[in-house]
């Protein structure tokens, strides 16, 4: 089905126009010719494969026949040997005498070797001591190795004989006798190890003779190990010949592993270099390439100066390449798996792969030939992990900043607030937060991947919005302690109250600093700088749509939070400073006291105190919030206890009401930018006055007019006003309710677009 689907686009490409139908015969002939050529090629390939398979099967058959012939010949030889022994009458005695002679000669040789053993070890020690004084050349390396090899064969033979003897009581004695040889061997092995660890330096310094002598030693030991291994395998496979093999085999009986020690020395030398390189890399991720320069220099030294010094079958350059590559892989994987690895280091490792393979190719190592893959094909996973690391650090930073804010805000130590260049109150963690965000943006940018950067920016948007929500909750929780605490207001912590107001001003200033752009003066808010930092690093679509929408939401959030802080500041003033004054509104005490003047005087004090430490754009907001709060509480005063609105003699009420309004307007008139709006809202007081002064019969119509202008006025408040009149009765309230039922659906406050705009009366409870 897939082949058929693939043909259709090709035909469509060939036959685009009706005239192309004339090409069909020619195309058919061309495709037929190509098919014939392909069929011929396939038949030829099949024939070659068949010939190769038949030749291989014939070779296998010939091998089986040769093995059968050898087995038959060996059986014949064994049979002839047995028959020959039976033909010689005294063969058992001759064989026994011959064995005794061989044993006697062997004992004589062993005795002589044991007697000379100590002197020979002393001689080797003297040679090693002279080599200790000249480690750069070690002229006695080969003589020491030869003599030690003979002594080790002697020890192996002696220990093998004592193990096969019926009396093993002298075994511990022999072990003690040969113990000194073990010390000498360790001494020699230290010399070999030193050369293995310093081969690169020796080749670079031109001291190739010592490297060649080492190669001779290791190659000879490798041959001996192969013999020992072959002997052991033969003994395992042919148990009936094991005793005979032990009798006729002379030489080493144990594998000494010098080839493995040689390779281990290469690894140890390289790992020492890696340890230093990794330490340098951890100190500065920019120095990864520099820290690994030794890696390629040493491989180049092996390629140019060591290949001719070693046996060809060792393929020393490939051996070095495989070992070094494996160590590079292991060290990088160890770094990657470290949970404390910095994101910058992780990214450096991800970018290192391409540079590494380019350098290795110049040396002759193709990427496909290097096993294992440098970082186990985890590039995609690492990019995701790297992004997660950035997000982890981002979360940790934001958590620490939040905890510091929470601690500072709860303790409200004056020392925890700063002042900016304009003298405005500021919290001390805002600058650190934006600097941290910029650093993480730069870290994400080094990935050269827009998807990674966009994922990090999305997380930052979430963190910033969470911070706004968190600040609002913290403000609400702290203000709640004062606004809903002890209603008697006898135990207010004045110090805590004052510092809370300072903090509210500082938090509000912080939000304005985030969005305060003045391009003419070259001053940009943190949010705009944040946007300019990440926009070049993300896709145009992301910057235009997703990011722009998030920026707008954040900007609105900063405005809302700053306004909320000012509103909370105002709420505190009325809850703490004005609690008793507000409770006297429209009571008997209200008529005889200058309560509004006290309120306005307090407003003046606050503006004098905070006018220099609050951002200038927030002053008008504070004034408007004070006006709204005062108006709401003033109109809501009709619900105070013992309220009495004197309708029969309205002159005191109207005069007092007028005096309060004039006093308030005299204060708010100082702020021309917001006074028109304030004056418009305070028109509701006039309606309040008219509800009190109107005749009973006119009240229902007056209410309808009132509701036409203030569609969301609560009837419960109107009812409270009517009940506070000194001439109120049930009939008056019922008449207004009846009119409400009749006119309720008329005035709904909708504009031409069908939207409702809340009025000040909607907030009066």
């Amino acid at each position: 089905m897939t082949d058929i689907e693939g043909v259709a686009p090709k035909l469509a490409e060939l036959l685009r126009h009706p005239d192309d139908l004339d090409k069909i015969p020619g195309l058919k002939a061309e495709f037929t010719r190509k098919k014939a050529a392909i069929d011929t090629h396939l038949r030829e390939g099949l024939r070659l494969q068949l010939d190769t398979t038949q030749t291989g099967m014939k070779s296998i058959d010939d091998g089986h026949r040769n093995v059968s012939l050898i087995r038959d010949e060996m059986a014949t030889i064994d049979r002839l040997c047995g028959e020959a022994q039976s033909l010689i009458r005294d063969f058992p005695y001759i064989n026994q005498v011959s064995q005794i002679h061989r044993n006697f000669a062997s004992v004589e040789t062993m005795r002589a070797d044991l007697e000379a053993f100590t002197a020979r070890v002393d001689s080797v020690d003297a040679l090693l001591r002279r080599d200790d004084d000249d480690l750069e050349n070690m002229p006695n390396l080969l003589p020491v190795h030869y003599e030690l090899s003979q002594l080790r064969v002697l020890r192996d033979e002696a220990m093998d004989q004592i193990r096969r003897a019926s009396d093993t009581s002298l075994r511990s004695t022999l072990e003690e006798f040969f113990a000194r040889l073990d010390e000498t061997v360790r001494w020699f092995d230290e010399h070999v190890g030193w050369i293995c660890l310093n081969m690169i330096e020796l080749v670079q310094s031109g001291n190739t003779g010592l490297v060649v002598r080492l190669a001779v030693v290791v190659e000879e030991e490798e041959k001996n190990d192969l013999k020992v291994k072959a002997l052991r395998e033969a003994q395992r496979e042919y148990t009936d010949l094991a005793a005979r093999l032990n009798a006729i085999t002379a030489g080493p009986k144990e594998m000494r592993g010098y080839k493995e020690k040689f390779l281990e020395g290469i690894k140890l030398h390289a790992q020492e270099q890696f340890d230093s390189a990794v330490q340098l890399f951890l100190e500065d991720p920019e120095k990864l390439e520099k820290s690994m320069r030794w890696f390629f220099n040493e491989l180049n030294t092996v390629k140019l100066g060591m290949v001719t010094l070693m046996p060809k079958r060792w393929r020393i350059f490939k051996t070095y390449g495989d070992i070094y590559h494996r160590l590079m892989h292991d060290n990088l994987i160890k770094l990657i798996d470290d949970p404390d690895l910095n994101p910058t280091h992780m990214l450096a490792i991800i970018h290192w792969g391409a540079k590494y393979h380019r350098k290795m190719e110049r040396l002759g190592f193709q990427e496909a030939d290097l096993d294992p893959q440098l970082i186990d094909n985890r590039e995609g996973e690492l990019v995701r992990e790297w992004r997660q690391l950035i997000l982890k650090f981002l979360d940790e930073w934001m958590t620490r900043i939040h905890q510091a804010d929470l601690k500072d805000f709860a303790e409200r130590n004056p020392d925890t607030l700063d002042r900016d260049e304009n003298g405005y109150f500021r919290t001390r963690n805002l600058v650190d937060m934006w600097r941290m965000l910029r650093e993480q943006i730069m870290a994400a940018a080094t990935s050269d991947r827009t998807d990674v950067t966009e994922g990090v920016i999305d997380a930052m948007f979430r963190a910033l919005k969470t911070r706004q929500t968190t600040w609002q909750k913290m403000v609400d929780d702290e203000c709640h302690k004062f606004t809903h605490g002890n209603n008697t207001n006898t135990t207010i912590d004045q110090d805590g109250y004052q510092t809370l107001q300072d903090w509210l001003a500082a938090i509000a200033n912080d939000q304005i600093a985030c969005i305060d752009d003045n391009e003419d003066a070259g001053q940009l808010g943190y949010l705009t700088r944040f946007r300019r930092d990440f926009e070049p690093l993300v896709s145009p679509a992301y910057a235009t749509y997703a990011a722009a929408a998030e920026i707008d939401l954040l900007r609105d959030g900063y405005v809302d939070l700053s306004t909320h802080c000012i509103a909370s500041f105002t709420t505190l003033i009325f809850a703490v400073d004005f609690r008793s004054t507000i409770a006297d509104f429209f009571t008997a005490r209200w008529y005889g006291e200058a309560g509004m003047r006290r309120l306005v005087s307090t407003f003046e004090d606050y503006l004098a105190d905070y006018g220099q430490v609050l951002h200038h754009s927030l002053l008008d907001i504070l004034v408007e919030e004070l006006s709204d709060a005062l108006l709401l509480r003033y109109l809501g005063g009709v619900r105070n206890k013992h309220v009495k609105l004197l309708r029969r003699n309205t002159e005191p009420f109207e005069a007092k009401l007028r005096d309060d309004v004039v006093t308030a307007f005299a204060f708010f008139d100082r702020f021309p930018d917001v006074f028109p709006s304030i004056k418009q809202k305070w028109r509701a007081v006039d309606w309040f006055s008219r509800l009190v002064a109107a005749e009973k019969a006119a009240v229902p119509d007056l209410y309808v007019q009132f509701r036409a202008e203030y569609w969301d006025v609560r009837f419960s408040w109107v009812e409270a006003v009517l009940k506070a009149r000194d001439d109120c009765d049930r009939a008056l309230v019922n008449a207004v309710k009846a009119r409400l039922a009749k006119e309720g659906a008329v005035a709904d406050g909708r504009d031409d677009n069908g939207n409702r705009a809340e009025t000040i009366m909607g907030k009066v409870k």
Side-chain angles (χ1 to χ4, degrees), residues 3 14 16 91 201 218 242 305 316 320 376 439 479 532 631 741:
D3 294 340
L14 292 172
R16 293 183 177 181
F91 180 79
E201 289 78 3
V218 175
I316 192 64
Y320 259 90
D376 295 339
E439 290 173 356
C479 290
R532 292 190 177 184
L631 179 57

Side-chain angles (χ1 to χ4, degrees), residues 219-503:
E219 184 181 25
E220 184 63 25
E221 292 293 338
E222 183 184 24
K223 293 177 181 177
N224 290 335
D225 286 349
L226 290 174
K227 292 178 183 178
V228 173
K229 183 178 180 181
L231 177 61
R232 289 179 178 177
E233 291 176 353
Q235 289 173 337
R236 283 196 301 269
E237 294 181 10
Y238 306 100
T239 55
D240 55 329
L241 296 178
R244 190 181 304 178
L245 287 171
N246 281 330
I248 64 175
T249 303
K253 297 293 190 296
E254 300 291 337
M255 297 181 65
R256 298 170 185 168
Y258 274 84
K259 181 63 177 296
E260 289 72 19
K261 295 176 182 177
F262 172 77
L263 298 177
E264 188 63 26
I266 296 175
K267 293 179 184 177
L268 289 175
H269 165 76
Q271 188 57 53
E272 288 178 359
Q273 300 284 73
F274 269 112
D275 291 341
S276 301
V278 167
Q279 185 61 38
L280 182 61
F281 167 61
L282 291 176
E283 293 173 358
D284 184 359
E286 298 290 334
K287 294 183 178 179
L288 177 58
E289 185 173 2
K290 179 181 179 181
S291 67
M292 294 298 176
R293 194 172 295 164
W294 65 270
F295 182 95
F296 306 101
N297 290 341
E298 292 192 355
L299 286 179
N300 192 53
T301 298
V302 174
K303 180 180 181 179
L304 299 178
M306 193 181 294
V307 172
T308 57
L309 307 180
M310 300 288 176
K312 289 185 178 180
R313 60 188 177 84
W314 283 5
R315 302 177 66 188
I316 192 64
F317 182 51
K318 185 178 185 305
T319 299
Y320 259 90
D322 292 343
I323 292 174
Y324 275 42
H325 174 72
R326 166 63 73 171
L327 289 174
M328 177 69 77
H329 164 273
D330 293 347
N331 281 276
L332 291 180
I333 293 298
K334 182 179 179 182
L335 286 170
I336 290 169
D337 292 337
D338 184 358
D340 297 326
L341 186 66
N342 188 285
T344 309
H345 293 85
M346 178 74 77
L347 184 65
I349 293 174
I350 295 172
H351 288 167
W352 170 240
K355 299 177 183 178
Y356 172 79
H357 287 299
R358 284 198 299 270
K359 292 177 181 290
M360 291 296 281
E361 285 179 3
R362 286 200 290 268
L363 288 170
F365 295 98
Q366 299 300 316
E367 181 177 356
D369 299 331
L370 295 173
D371 185 62
Q373 204 277 335
L374 184 61
I375 52 176
D376 295 339
N377 292 312
R378 292 169 59 182
E379 287 84 355
E381 173 192 346
L382 291 180
V383 169
R384 290 189 296 274
E385 288 183 2
W386 176 75
R387 184 177 67 181
Q388 288 304 118
L389 274 176
I390 294 180
L391 299 182
K392 175 187 174 185
F393 278 102
L394 176 65
D395 289 341
E396 290 177 352
W397 262 98
M398 295 302 288
T399 299
R400 283 196 294 269
I401 290 174
H402 167 66
Q403 291 173 346
D405 287 339
L406 183 61
K407 179 176 180 294
D408 292 344
F409 189 42
E411 295 177 355
R412 289 198 286 279
N413 189 326
D415 295 337
T416 58
L417 288 181
D418 295 331
R419 291 189 183 226
D420 63 13
E421 64 278 6
N422 298 313
Y424 302 148
F425 279 151
R426 297 284 293 278
T427 64
R428 63 181 181 180
N429 294 319
L430 184 69
V431 176
D432 292 339
M433 182 197 72
W434 286 106
R435 182 172 60 247
M436 179 275 298
L437 292 178
R438 187 176 190 280
E439 290 173 356
Q440 298 307 316
I441 290 174
M442 295 302 101
T446 54
S447 67
D448 296 328
R449 294 181 52 162
T450 57
D451 59 330
V452 172
T453 305
E454 289 169 4
V456 173
I457 298 301
D458 284 339
M460 291 180 178
F461 284 141
R462 291 192 297 271
L464 290 172
K465 287 188 288 188
T466 300
R467 178 176 168 82
Q468 290 176 347
T469 305
T470 302
W471 263 124
Q472 182 166 336
K473 184 178 184 304
M474 290 165 58
V475 167
D476 290 343
D477 290 344
E478 289 299 314
C479 290
H480 186 273
K481 298 175 182 178
F482 290 90
T483 58
H484 295 78
N486 187 352
N487 289 330
T488 62
N489 197 29
T490 57
T491 59
I492 290 292
D493 180 1
Q494 292 298 331
D495 292 336
Y497 173 58
Q498 174 67 43
T499 54
L500 176 57
Q501 291 176 313
D502 292 347
W503 266 86

Side-chain angles (χ1 to χ4, degrees), residues 145 180 232 434 553 686 742:
H145 173 253
R180 185 180 170 193
R232 289 179 178 177
W434 286 106
L553 288 174
D686 180 56
K742 180 180 179 181

